[in-house]
Structure formats: C-alpha cells, structure tokens
C-alpha cells in the first residue's frame, strides 16, 4: 500500500474505534467519572483529611495523579481488549485480515482508539478532581508524555490479551487479577517510602509504580522514583509490548488457523 | 497463459494433525467462471482460506494474477474479493459503515467509497437498507451485503464460498444475473456451492475436491460428456396401455401417465419417440429425473474413495 493508502486505512480504523466507544458513552466514559468521584470523596476528602500530608503534599493532592492514571490505564486497556476481542468473536476481524492493510497500521489503529479513550477519560476525571482540590501542573511536558506512553502501553496489553482470549470471561481475567492489584500496589494511595525495604524493592518490578510516579511528578513535582528511570522503564515496557503484539499479528497466532 | 489463480502442491495440516489439503494443483484462467465442488470437509473452505490469508498453508505455492502470496501478499490481496460462507461483519454497524470500513482498509478514500457504495447497493437491491444496521437484514440481504463488500475495491478475482446458501429462489436468480454480468465485464469468479445445478448453469470449468485432493478438473461440458447413462421422465398425453413393448430401451412405468426411460450413451431418443408413437403414445413433456452433474459428482466421489 502507498503511504497515502495506509493513511486512509489508519483514519478508517481510528474513526471506527472512536465511534464505537463514543456511541456507547454511558458504558465507556461515564463510569470512570462516577467511580473517580467516589474515590475523591472517600479516600481524598473524607479519609484523606484525617491522614494529613504524604510525600510533602496533602493526601488529596497525593492521590489525584494516581487516580487519574488509574482511569487512563483501565480505559485504554478495556477499549482495545473489548474492541479487538469483539472483532474476533463476530469474525469481523477477517475484514482486516483479508485486506492489504499492513499489521503496523492495524496495531496503530486499535491503539489510537485506546489512547484517545484513555485521554478523554483523563480529561473528564481531571475536571471531576478539580471540584475537590486545586490542581497545579508542575510539568506539562512530563504529563503529556506519561499519559501518551501509558495509554499506548496498556492499549497494546489489551490487544495482546484479546488475541489470546477465547471467551468474554478471558478478557476480564487480566484486569481483575492482574491490572487492579498492580494498580493498587503501584503507589496510587501510598508512598513507597511507607513500605518495608523488601516490598519497596519488589514494587520496582511493577510498571504501574513508574507510571503513577512519573505522572505524580508531572503534576506535583514529587516522585518516589527517578523520573528519568521511570520514563526508561515505561518506554521499555511499551517497546516490548509493541514488539510482541506485532509478532502476534505477523504470525497470525489465534487469528489465522 | 496468464492465470487468475495458480495453486501448486498446496498442503495444509492443522494443529490437531488433520491433513485438510494433500498437495492440490489448480489453475483458473483469467475471466473464467469456475466452480470448486466437494462434500463437506473436502477442503474447499481451507483452500479459499489459504488464498485469502485466513489459513496459514503448510506447503505449496499460490499465485493470484501472477503475484505469489509468499512474495507480496498485500498486492495479491488487492486482486481478491472474498465472500465467505459465514457472516463475518459487525451486525451492530450500518450497511454503509461496513462498506466504508472495508473500502478504507484497501486505502480507498471516503468520496470514492461512497460513489461505489451507491453503485453496488443499487445493483444488489440494497439501496433502501443503506443506513440499516446489519442485524436487521434478512439472510439473503446479509449475503448480498457481503458480495457488495467483496466488490468495493473492484477486485479482478471474486471468490464466493456457498454464496446462495439461505437465499430464496427469486433472489438467487437475480444474484446469478449479477454474477454473470460482472463475469462478462471481466471479473474472474470462483465459487463453491452445494447446489450443483448452480455450477452447471453458471460455470464453464469445474474442479471436484474430496479428502483434500482434486478428483477432477475439467470443463463442465467435458464432465457432462462423460455421463454414460441418463434417466428421463416422460409424461404421456393419454393413459398408457397395459402392455408396452419397446425394443432396445429400458423403460419403467411410474403410473398410468408417466414413464421412466434409461438412455445409454449413443442411444437415439428419436428412435424411442418413434416406437412410443407407433404404439399410440403421445409424449407431452420430458425432463431429466435428476441433476446430471449431481449424478457425475456422486460417481466421481465413489470412484475416488
């Protein structure tokens, strides 16, 4: 395909993906706003007022970046896993497989759907958060870079999950048993300084730690880990996920017989 | 000679060890109307799956309009339009969206896609369903939608896997006319079907596949020429006499007005008519007892196994 034809194919996929989740906005965009409002109210406002400071800022300010990032992670993941698995389930993925659309465009198309939903939810949750606490941005560049990289990373993870999933139950296993625990243990609600040395070291293997802390640095200027190292880790995780997803599409594993 | 499709030594062994294709060779000339016949599980859909990249082959080569799928599959795919046996679109999308998306995957801009959608929806009688969600369409409409989708990038080779399954007779006939029209305009058509009369009335050449092997590959005319015996049903104008003597022909009385005549290759039908007429029997109408191709199909499969 010529570059222009690839561009047309990418726009087609992006348009399709964005229309999919905006058409069912009450299932895709609204729940995050409600859930995060409850988090802000309970953990930030009610319980947070009794906790005092954490990481040098009020507890409410401390949890906001983590909760925004949690929304980005779950939404970008959920968007791609449900869309790609849905296409597999109703066999409409064959429309793409029989076409000359290159695999990198297929990947980019699905990922851009996840990224756009992640970012849209981030904006919604940030607006909700601003009702509870005054928000300041320490570094716009870091915020934009972390949001973009994180939503790409978890969109790719969603696609990998969808490739291997056989049933709708399979697409809920990873978010329930992997993603949610990693998010809660990734420093959304506490500083790693509070952990014993052993568990603080174990936490270094959790990608959510780097995502949450880099974003917290972008918003508050505080982080439990070096921001440069956090970006390197997020970048490495993203590269590995991209290469593996591209490998799955190239070999047609679980897609072609 | 340049072929629309050339398959050499194509083999497919599935992960469970099933050998679905055992080294098949097949050539379809450009502009041909070609039938691929075979019983369930013979390897038809596997062959089509390999051609359109839904099935990974184990061995062999496939060329579409001289483009080897191992060397440049994206270019080969541009030549191909595929109508699968099962519905494979998102039923929650509208007819128009399904077609726009498919056009987009081939790099066709929206403006051109909309023009082609106008054309193909009109030709396939779906214009008034343009904004209808696919799940609201009848089975026949869904099948026509898949044909429109397969043609949206204007391929030179159209492959149809059981295209008229679940389509009523009237719609089937209009679909035949449409397929003849695009074939006459130069599109090579390859179809698999269970309706053998469909192959006989539409196709010029035929391959029969069984247990992953090509049993025969010839023209429909040649295939029918190989028939040694045909059975005709003769309807008499008046009640048949109790005693009926016709020499050289095997006849079976079905009822008072109906006879079955078994005609061997080389026997003269006029001679039979003459003998019947001599006994005061006037034949009102005559028809084949069964589809001739079906007879041949069954006998070939029996020979092969």
């Amino acid at each position: 395909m010529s570059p222009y034809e690839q561009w047309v194919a990418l726009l087609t996929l992006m348009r399709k993906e964005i229309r999919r989740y905006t058409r069912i906005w009450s299932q895709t965009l609204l729940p995050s706003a409600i859930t995060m409002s409850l988090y802000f109210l309970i953990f930030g406002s009610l319980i947070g007022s009794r906790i005092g400071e954490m990481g040098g800022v009020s507890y409410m300010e401390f949890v906001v970046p983590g909760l925004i990032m949690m929304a980005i992670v779950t939404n970008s993941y959920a968007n791609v896993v449900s869309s790609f698995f849905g296409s597999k389930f109703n066999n409409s993925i064959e429309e793409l497989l029989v076409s000359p659309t290159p695999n990198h465009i297929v990947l980019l198309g699905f990922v851009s759907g996840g990224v756009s939903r992640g970012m849209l939810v981030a904006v919604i949750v940030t607006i909700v958060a601003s009702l509870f606490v005054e928000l300041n941005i320490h570094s716009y560049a870091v915020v934009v870079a972390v949001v973009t990289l994180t939503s790409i990373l978890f969109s790719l993870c969603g696609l990998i999950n969808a490739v291997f999933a056989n049933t709708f139950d399979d697409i809920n296993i990873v978010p329930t048993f992997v993603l949610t625990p990693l998010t809660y243990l990734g420093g959304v609600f506490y500083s790693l300084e509070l952990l014993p040395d052993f568990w603080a070291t174990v936490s270094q293997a959790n990608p959510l730690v780097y995502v949450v802390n880099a974003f917290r640095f972008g918003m508050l200027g505080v982080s439990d880990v070096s921001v440069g190292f956090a970006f390197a880790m997020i970048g490495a995780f993203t590269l590995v996920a991209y290469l593996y997803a591209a490998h799955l599409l190239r070999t047609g594993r679980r897609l072609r017989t | 000679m340049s072929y629309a499709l050339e398959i050499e030594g194509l083999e497919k062994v599935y992960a469970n060890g099933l050998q679905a294709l055992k080294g098949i060779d097949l050539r379809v000339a450009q502009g041909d109307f070609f039938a691929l016949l075979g019983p369930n599980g013979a390897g038809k859909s596997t062959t089509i799956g390999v051609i359109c990249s839904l099935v990974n082959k184990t061995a062999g080569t496939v060329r579409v309009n001289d483009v080897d799928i191992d060397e440049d599959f994206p270019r080969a795919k541009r030549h191909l339009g595929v109508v699968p046996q099962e519905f494979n679109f998102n039923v929650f999308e509208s007819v128009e969206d399904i077609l726009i998306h498919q056009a987009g995957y081939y790099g066709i801009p929206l403006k051109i896609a909309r023009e082609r959608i106008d054309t193909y929806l009109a030709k396939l009688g779906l214009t008034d369903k343009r904004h209808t969600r696919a799940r609201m369409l009848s089975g026949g409409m869904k099948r026509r939608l898949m044909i429109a989708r397969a043609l949206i990038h204007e391929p030179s080779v159209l492959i149809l896997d059981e295209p008229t399954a679940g389509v009523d007779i009237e719609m089937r006939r209009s679909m035949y006319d449409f397929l003849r029209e695009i074939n006459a305009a130069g599109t090579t058509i390859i179809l698999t079907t269970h309706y053998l009369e469909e192959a006989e009335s539409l196709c010029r050449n035929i391959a029969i596949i069984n247990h992953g092997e090509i049993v025969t590959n010839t023209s429909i005319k040649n295939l029918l020429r190989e028939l040694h015996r045909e059975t005709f049903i003769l309807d008499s104008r008046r009640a048949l006499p109790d005693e009926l003597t016709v020499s050289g022909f095997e006849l079976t009385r079905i009822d008072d007005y109906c006879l079955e005549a078994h005609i061997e290759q080389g026997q003269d039908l006029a001679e039979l008519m003459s003998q019947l007429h001599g006994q005061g029997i006037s034949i009102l109408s005559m028809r084949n007892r069964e589809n001739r191709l079906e007879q041949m199909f069954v006998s070939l499969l029996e020979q092969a196994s």
Side-chain angles (χ1 to χ4, degrees):
Chain A
M1 282 179 110
S2 69
Y4 174 70
E5 288 170 330
Q6 292 189 32
W7 174 241
V8 171
L10 178 62
L11 283 182
T12 304
L13 255 175
M14 286 170 69
R15 175 175 169 268
K16 181 178 171 227
E17 287 302 296
I18 292 169
R19 283 186 67 185
R20 191 192 72 84
Y21 72 75
T22 50
R23 195 169 52 216
I24 49 170
W25 61 272
S26 60
Q27 297 168 46
T28 53
L29 303 177
L30 195 58
S32 289
I34 294 170
T35 312
M36 290 304 149
S37 297
L38 292 171
Y39 273 121
F40 291 136
L41 185 68
I42 296 165
F43 290 100
S45 194
L46 299 177
I47 298 174
S49 61
R50 291 166 183 263
I51 293 174
E53 284 197 347
M54 188 167 292
V57 294
S58 74
Y59 188 67
M60 181 69 180
E61 283 179 282
F62 183 84
V63 294
V64 164
L67 290 174
I68 293 173
M69 202 38 84
M70 199 162 112
I72 293 170
V73 166
T74 51
N75 277 278
S76 49
Y77 191 95
N79 196 70
V80 181
V81 77
S82 60
S83 175
F84 198 86
F85 180 72
S87 304
K88 254 179 68 175
F89 188 76
N90 61 29
N91 292 325
S92 64
I93 193 70
E94 291 177 4
E95 292 177 334
L96 266 170
L97 296 178
V98 302
S99 80
T101 304
N103 290 332
H104 67 268
I105 296 292
V106 174
L107 213 50
L108 211 53
F110 276 98
V111 166
S112 57
V115 169
S116 66
R117 177 168 154 191
M119 287 184 170
L120 193 53
V121 168
V123 170
I124 293 169
V125 173
T126 304
I127 291 168
V128 171
S130 68
L131 302 175
F132 293 86
V133 66
E134 191 182 336
L135 295 174
N136 294 302
I137 305 292
H138 175 72
S139 166
Y140 282 98
V142 170
V143 164
V144 171
V146 177
V147 167
T148 307
L149 268 178
T150 304
S151 49
I152 290 173
L153 169 60
F154 286 94
S155 295
L156 288 166
C157 292
L159 191 138
I160 293 166
N161 185 177
V163 167
F164 285 100
N166 288 322
T167 66
F168 279 100
D169 289 338
D170 294 342
I171 66 172
N172 289 320
I173 287 173
V174 174
T176 307
F177 296 103
V178 180
L179 217 48
T180 305
L182 284 182
T183 310
Y184 279 84
L185 297 171
V188 172
F189 297 105
Y190 57 86
S191 167
L192 295 188
E193 289 172 0
L194 300 179
L195 296 176
D197 286 349
F198 174 76
W199 290 111
T201 307
V202 170
S203 293
Q204 307 286 317
N206 180 357
L208 267 300
V209 165
Y210 304 104
V211 163
V212 169
N213 277 283
F215 191 63
R216 186 172 286 138
F217 179 84
M219 286 192 79
L220 305 174
V222 296
S223 171
D224 289 335
V225 294
S226 148
V227 176
F229 184 65
F231 267 106
M233 290 303 282
I234 300 169
F237 281 122
T238 307
L239 182 65
V240 169
Y242 176 82
L243 292 175
Y244 189 53
H247 167 75
L248 290 174
L249 290 185
R250 192 176 58 252
T251 56
R253 191 168 171 189
R254 300 283 187 124
L255 299 172
R256 297 183 169 96
T257 50
Chain B
M1 185 178 181
S2 191
Y3 292 98
L5 178 69
E6 272 183 284
I7 295 175
E8 281 170 23
L10 186 62
E11 290 179 27
K12 173 64 188 175
V13 182
Y14 284 105
N16 62 4
L18 173 76
Q19 190 170 8
L21 299 175
K22 299 169 183 169
I24 67 167
D25 299 314
L26 200 63
R27 284 196 178 90
V28 179
Q30 285 179 341
D32 200 357
F33 208 135
F34 191 91
L36 185 60
L37 297 190
N40 289 332
K44 305 186 296 288
S45 294
T46 300
T47 306
I48 289 175
V50 171
I51 297 165
C52 67
S53 91
L54 294 176
V55 175
N56 291 325
K57 64 185 168 64
T58 306
T61 58
V62 177
R63 280 186 291 277
V64 182
N65 283 337
D66 288 334
V67 181
D68 192 320
I69 64 169
D70 291 326
E71 287 167 13
D72 193 351
F73 215 155
R75 197 151 71 89
K77 285 174 174 180
R78 286 177 165 284
H79 295 291
L80 286 170
V82 182
V83 182
Q85 204 175 117
E86 306 290 337
F87 300 128
N88 66 343
F89 45 74
N90 184 347
V91 292
F92 296 104
E93 288 178 355
S94 72
V95 167
E96 184 181 49
D97 280 345
I98 288 169
L99 297 175
I100 286 176
H101 294 156
Q102 190 68 17
Y105 300 154
Y106 284 83
I108 298 164
L110 203 56
K111 187 172 175 291
I112 297 172
R114 286 193 199 283
E115 288 168 6
R116 291 189 187 173
I117 289 168
D118 289 341
T119 306
Y120 289 112
L121 288 186
K123 283 186 174 179
L124 288 155
L126 289 172
T127 300
D128 60 333
K129 302 293 177 191
R130 188 178 188 124
H131 302 292
T132 304
R133 289 203 179 179
R135 71 193 166 105
M136 305 302 288
L137 301 178
S138 67
M141 287 174 185
K142 283 176 181 161
R143 213 154 278 284
R144 281 179 280 151
L145 168 60
M146 292 208 296
I147 294 177
R149 188 185 58 179
L151 291 170
I152 201 74
H153 61 286
E154 303 193 329
S156 57
V157 182
L158 180 65
I159 300 177
L160 305 108
D161 198 358
E162 307 278 352
T164 51
V167 177
D168 65 44
I169 292 170
E170 191 185 353
M171 195 49 70
R172 196 181 297 171
R173 286 185 190 286
S174 76
M175 207 182 274
Y176 290 169
D177 291 341
F178 177 70
L179 292 177
R180 284 193 189 100
E181 185 187 323
I182 58 170
N183 178 245
T187 305
T188 306
I189 297 181
I190 300 167
L191 69 84
T192 74
T193 178
H194 278 309
Y195 301 112
L196 298 170
E197 66 274 25
E198 190 166 278
E200 190 176 352
S201 71
L202 285 173
C203 302
R204 286 186 284 280
N205 292 295
I206 188 168
I208 294 178
I209 184 170
N210 193 31
H211 300 307
E213 291 171 303
I214 298 291
V215 176
T216 188
N217 183 1
T218 181
S219 70
I220 296 261
K221 277 182 188 168
N222 277 341
L223 192 65
L224 293 174
R225 213 172 282 148
E226 289 172 26
L227 274 172
H228 297 296
R229 179 185 168 102
E230 287 194 70
T231 303
F232 294 94
I233 294 173
L234 311 176
D235 296 308
S236 169
R237 186 180 296 277
R238 289 178 291 275
L240 296 166
D242 293 338
E243 288 293 319
L244 192 62
T245 317
V246 176
S247 61
F249 291 94
E250 186 187 336
L251 295 180
T252 311
R253 178 197 290 263
I254 297 174
D255 58 37
D256 286 349
Y257 289 85
C258 203
L259 274 176
E260 218 172 62
H262 308 284
I263 310 295
E264 299 294 328
Q265 199 172 43
Q267 281 192 309
D268 194 346
L269 264 175
E271 167 62 22
L272 172 65
M273 293 300 168
S274 164
Q275 287 195 45
L276 290 171
H277 190 71
Q279 297 188 41
I281 299 168
S282 169
I283 298 300
L284 197 62
S285 65
M286 182 177 82
R287 62 188 184 279
N288 269 86
R289 192 187 68 177
E290 58 197 36
N291 182 277
R292 295 175 300 157
L293 197 59
E294 192 166 303
Q295 236 176 319
M296 176 57 83
F297 179 72
V298 171
S299 95
L300 278 168
L301 293 186
E302 279 170 0
Q303 282 171 29
S305 56

PDB file of all heavy atoms in Angstrom, chain B residues 26-45:
ATOM      1  N   LEU B  26      -4.123 -26.486  -8.992  1.00  0.00           N
ATOM      2  CA  LEU B  26      -5.345 -25.907  -9.582  1.00  0.00           C
ATOM      3  C   LEU B  26      -4.970 -24.671 -10.393  1.00  0.00           C
ATOM      4  O   LEU B  26      -4.123 -23.890  -9.962  1.00  0.00           O
ATOM      5  CB  LEU B  26      -6.282 -25.505  -8.436  1.00  0.00           C
ATOM      6  CG  LEU B  26      -7.758 -25.313  -8.736  1.00  0.00           C
ATOM      7  CD1 LEU B  26      -8.382 -26.616  -9.197  1.00  0.00           C
ATOM      8  CD2 LEU B  26      -8.477 -24.836  -7.470  1.00  0.00           C
ATOM      9  N   ARG B  27      -5.580 -24.547 -11.555  1.00  0.00           N
ATOM     10  CA  ARG B  27      -5.362 -23.334 -12.354  1.00  0.00           C
ATOM     11  C   ARG B  27      -6.708 -22.805 -12.810  1.00  0.00           C
ATOM     12  O   ARG B  27      -7.535 -23.553 -13.324  1.00  0.00           O
ATOM     13  CB  ARG B  27      -4.510 -23.636 -13.590  1.00  0.00           C
ATOM     14  CG  ARG B  27      -3.039 -23.802 -13.283  1.00  0.00           C
ATOM     15  CD  ARG B  27      -2.217 -23.693 -14.552  1.00  0.00           C
ATOM     16  NE  ARG B  27      -0.819 -23.814 -14.240  1.00  0.00           N
ATOM     17  CZ  ARG B  27      -0.150 -24.954 -14.204  1.00  0.00           C
ATOM     18  NH1 ARG B  27      -0.767 -26.083 -14.481  1.00  0.00           N
ATOM     19  NH2 ARG B  27       1.134 -24.970 -13.927  1.00  0.00           N
ATOM     20  N   VAL B  28      -6.892 -21.508 -12.614  1.00  0.00           N
ATOM     21  CA  VAL B  28      -8.129 -20.866 -13.071  1.00  0.00           C
ATOM     22  C   VAL B  28      -7.731 -19.742 -14.020  1.00  0.00           C
ATOM     23  O   VAL B  28      -6.976 -18.836 -13.637  1.00  0.00           O
ATOM     24  CB  VAL B  28      -8.939 -20.297 -11.877  1.00  0.00           C
ATOM     25  CG1 VAL B  28     -10.203 -19.614 -12.383  1.00  0.00           C
ATOM     26  CG2 VAL B  28      -9.279 -21.402 -10.882  1.00  0.00           C
ATOM     27  N   ALA B  29      -8.228 -19.828 -15.249  1.00  0.00           N
ATOM     28  CA  ALA B  29      -7.860 -18.827 -16.256  1.00  0.00           C
ATOM     29  C   ALA B  29      -8.513 -17.485 -15.940  1.00  0.00           C
ATOM     30  O   ALA B  29      -9.571 -17.427 -15.294  1.00  0.00           O
ATOM     31  CB  ALA B  29      -8.292 -19.305 -17.640  1.00  0.00           C
ATOM     32  N   GLN B  30      -7.869 -16.428 -16.409  1.00  0.00           N
ATOM     33  CA  GLN B  30      -8.458 -15.106 -16.192  1.00  0.00           C
ATOM     34  C   GLN B  30      -9.789 -15.004 -16.939  1.00  0.00           C
ATOM     35  O   GLN B  30      -9.917 -15.436 -18.070  1.00  0.00           O
ATOM     36  CB  GLN B  30      -7.492 -14.020 -16.658  1.00  0.00           C
ATOM     37  CG  GLN B  30      -6.346 -13.860 -15.671  1.00  0.00           C
ATOM     38  CD  GLN B  30      -5.339 -12.811 -16.070  1.00  0.00           C
ATOM     39  OE1 GLN B  30      -5.277 -12.433 -17.238  1.00  0.00           O
ATOM     40  NE2 GLN B  30      -4.531 -12.381 -15.122  1.00  0.00           N
ATOM     41  N   GLY B  31     -10.774 -14.439 -16.278  1.00  0.00           N
ATOM     42  CA  GLY B  31     -12.095 -14.262 -16.886  1.00  0.00           C
ATOM     43  C   GLY B  31     -12.989 -15.477 -16.765  1.00  0.00           C
ATOM     44  O   GLY B  31     -14.143 -15.459 -17.211  1.00  0.00           O
ATOM     45  N   ASP B  32     -12.467 -16.556 -16.158  1.00  0.00           N
ATOM     46  CA  ASP B  32     -13.248 -17.800 -16.062  1.00  0.00           C
ATOM     47  C   ASP B  32     -14.366 -17.664 -15.026  1.00  0.00           C
ATOM     48  O   ASP B  32     -14.338 -16.789 -14.164  1.00  0.00           O
ATOM     49  CB  ASP B  32     -12.309 -18.943 -15.650  1.00  0.00           C
ATOM     50  CG  ASP B  32     -12.888 -20.315 -15.990  1.00  0.00           C
ATOM     51  OD1 ASP B  32     -14.028 -20.372 -16.479  1.00  0.00           O
ATOM     52  OD2 ASP B  32     -12.189 -21.327 -15.759  1.00  0.00           O
ATOM     53  N   PHE B  33     -15.337 -18.533 -15.149  1.00  0.00           N
ATOM     54  CA  PHE B  33     -16.372 -18.707 -14.121  1.00  0.00           C
ATOM     55  C   PHE B  33     -16.190 -20.140 -13.657  1.00  0.00           C
ATOM     56  O   PHE B  33     -16.516 -21.079 -14.369  1.00  0.00           O
ATOM     57  CB  PHE B  33     -17.770 -18.479 -14.725  1.00  0.00           C
ATOM     58  CG  PHE B  33     -18.764 -17.986 -13.716  1.00  0.00           C
ATOM     59  CD1 PHE B  33     -19.627 -16.936 -14.024  1.00  0.00           C
ATOM     60  CD2 PHE B  33     -18.863 -18.553 -12.461  1.00  0.00           C
ATOM     61  CE1 PHE B  33     -20.538 -16.468 -13.099  1.00  0.00           C
ATOM     62  CE2 PHE B  33     -19.765 -18.094 -11.530  1.00  0.00           C
ATOM     63  CZ  PHE B  33     -20.613 -17.046 -11.847  1.00  0.00           C
ATOM     64  N   PHE B  34     -15.598 -20.306 -12.494  1.00  0.00           N
ATOM     65  CA  PHE B  34     -15.050 -21.591 -12.080  1.00  0.00           C
ATOM     66  C   PHE B  34     -15.766 -22.110 -10.838  1.00  0.00           C
ATOM     67  O   PHE B  34     -16.023 -21.360  -9.897  1.00  0.00           O
ATOM     68  CB  PHE B  34     -13.559 -21.412 -11.783  1.00  0.00           C
ATOM     69  CG  PHE B  34     -12.793 -22.677 -11.594  1.00  0.00           C
ATOM     70  CD1 PHE B  34     -12.171 -23.303 -12.665  1.00  0.00           C
ATOM     71  CD2 PHE B  34     -12.679 -23.253 -10.337  1.00  0.00           C
ATOM     72  CE1 PHE B  34     -11.453 -24.478 -12.483  1.00  0.00           C
ATOM     73  CE2 PHE B  34     -11.962 -24.427 -10.149  1.00  0.00           C
ATOM     74  CZ  PHE B  34     -11.348 -25.042 -11.235  1.00  0.00           C
ATOM     75  N   ALA B  35     -16.074 -23.394 -10.838  1.00  0.00           N
ATOM     76  CA  ALA B  35     -16.736 -23.995  -9.673  1.00  0.00           C
ATOM     77  C   ALA B  35     -15.778 -24.938  -8.955  1.00  0.00           C
ATOM     78  O   ALA B  35     -15.068 -25.720  -9.586  1.00  0.00           O
ATOM     79  CB  ALA B  35     -17.965 -24.768 -10.113  1.00  0.00           C
ATOM     80  N   LEU B  36     -15.752 -24.831  -7.649  1.00  0.00           N
ATOM     81  CA  LEU B  36     -14.984 -25.769  -6.824  1.00  0.00           C
ATOM     82  C   LEU B  36     -16.005 -26.541  -5.994  1.00  0.00           C
ATOM     83  O   LEU B  36     -16.651 -25.974  -5.115  1.00  0.00           O
ATOM     84  CB  LEU B  36     -14.018 -24.999  -5.918  1.00  0.00           C
ATOM     85  CG  LEU B  36     -13.056 -25.821  -5.069  1.00  0.00           C
ATOM     86  CD1 LEU B  36     -12.149 -26.679  -5.937  1.00  0.00           C
ATOM     87  CD2 LEU B  36     -12.195 -24.906  -4.196  1.00  0.00           C
ATOM     88  N   LEU B  37     -16.154 -27.802  -6.353  1.00  0.00           N
ATOM     89  CA  LEU B  37     -17.171 -28.610  -5.685  1.00  0.00           C
ATOM     90  C   LEU B  37     -16.538 -29.666  -4.786  1.00  0.00           C
ATOM     91  O   LEU B  37     -15.417 -30.091  -5.008  1.00  0.00           O
ATOM     92  CB  LEU B  37     -18.030 -29.346  -6.724  1.00  0.00           C
ATOM     93  CG  LEU B  37     -18.859 -28.541  -7.691  1.00  0.00           C
ATOM     94  CD1 LEU B  37     -19.793 -29.479  -8.450  1.00  0.00           C
ATOM     95  CD2 LEU B  37     -19.674 -27.493  -6.986  1.00  0.00           C
ATOM     96  N   GLY B  38     -17.310 -30.062  -3.816  1.00  0.00           N
ATOM     97  CA  GLY B  38     -16.824 -31.132  -2.938  1.00  0.00           C
ATOM     98  C   GLY B  38     -17.767 -31.281  -1.770  1.00  0.00           C
ATOM     99  O   GLY B  38     -18.454 -30.328  -1.410  1.00  0.00           O
ATOM    100  N   PRO B  39     -17.780 -32.457  -1.167  1.00  0.00           N
ATOM    101  CA  PRO B  39     -18.660 -32.643   0.002  1.00  0.00           C
ATOM    102  C   PRO B  39     -18.131 -31.864   1.205  1.00  0.00           C
ATOM    103  O   PRO B  39     -17.015 -31.332   1.165  1.00  0.00           O
ATOM    104  CB  PRO B  39     -18.587 -34.159   0.249  1.00  0.00           C
ATOM    105  CG  PRO B  39     -17.300 -34.587  -0.351  1.00  0.00           C
ATOM    106  CD  PRO B  39     -17.015 -33.658  -1.489  1.00  0.00           C
ATOM    107  N   ASN B  40     -18.910 -31.827   2.265  1.00  0.00           N
ATOM    108  CA  ASN B  40     -18.471 -31.144   3.477  1.00  0.00           C
ATOM    109  C   ASN B  40     -17.153 -31.741   3.962  1.00  0.00           C
ATOM    110  O   ASN B  40     -16.988 -32.961   3.980  1.00  0.00           O
ATOM    111  CB  ASN B  40     -19.510 -31.280   4.589  1.00  0.00           C
ATOM    112  CG  ASN B  40     -20.747 -30.458   4.294  1.00  0.00           C
ATOM    113  OD1 ASN B  40     -20.667 -29.441   3.599  1.00  0.00           O
ATOM    114  ND2 ASN B  40     -21.874 -30.887   4.808  1.00  0.00           N
ATOM    115  N   GLY B  41     -16.221 -30.852   4.339  1.00  0.00           N
ATOM    116  CA  GLY B  41     -14.940 -31.316   4.870  1.00  0.00           C
ATOM    117  C   GLY B  41     -13.960 -31.756   3.800  1.00  0.00           C
ATOM    118  O   GLY B  41     -12.920 -32.328   4.110  1.00  0.00           O
ATOM    119  N   ALA B  42     -14.265 -31.478   2.530  1.00  0.00           N
ATOM    120  CA  ALA B  42     -13.385 -31.929   1.442  1.00  0.00           C
ATOM    121  C   ALA B  42     -12.123 -31.082   1.336  1.00  0.00           C
ATOM    122  O   ALA B  42     -11.103 -31.531   0.834  1.00  0.00           O
ATOM    123  CB  ALA B  42     -14.135 -31.900   0.115  1.00  0.00           C
ATOM    124  N   GLY B  43     -12.195 -29.815   1.815  1.00  0.00           N
ATOM    125  CA  GLY B  43     -11.025 -28.921   1.729  1.00  0.00           C
ATOM    126  C   GLY B  43     -11.296 -27.642   0.951  1.00  0.00           C
ATOM    127  O   GLY B  43     -10.373 -26.872   0.698  1.00  0.00           O
ATOM    128  N   LYS B  44     -12.568 -27.413   0.576  1.00  0.00           N
ATOM    129  CA  LYS B  44     -12.899 -26.208  -0.218  1.00  0.00           C
ATOM    130  C   LYS B  44     -12.611 -24.927   0.578  1.00  0.00           C
ATOM    131  O   LYS B  44     -11.922 -24.033   0.116  1.00  0.00           O
ATOM    132  CB  LYS B  44     -14.387 -26.197  -0.615  1.00  0.00           C
ATOM    133  CG  LYS B  44     -14.877 -27.406  -1.353  1.00  0.00           C
ATOM    134  CD  LYS B  44     -16.314 -27.214  -1.812  1.00  0.00           C
ATOM    135  CE  LYS B  44     -17.309 -27.072  -0.687  1.00  0.00           C
ATOM    136  NZ  LYS B  44     -17.600 -28.280   0.084  1.00  0.00           N
ATOM    137  N   SER B  45     -13.174 -24.862   1.772  1.00  0.00           N
ATOM    138  CA  SER B  45     -13.016 -23.635   2.561  1.00  0.00           C
ATOM    139  C   SER B  45     -11.577 -23.442   3.019  1.00  0.00           C
ATOM    140  O   SER B  45     -11.110 -22.311   3.132  1.00  0.00           O
ATOM    141  CB  SER B  45     -13.964 -23.658   3.767  1.00  0.00           C
ATOM    142  OG  SER B  45     -15.301 -23.609   3.311  1.00  0.00           O
TER     143      SER B  45
END
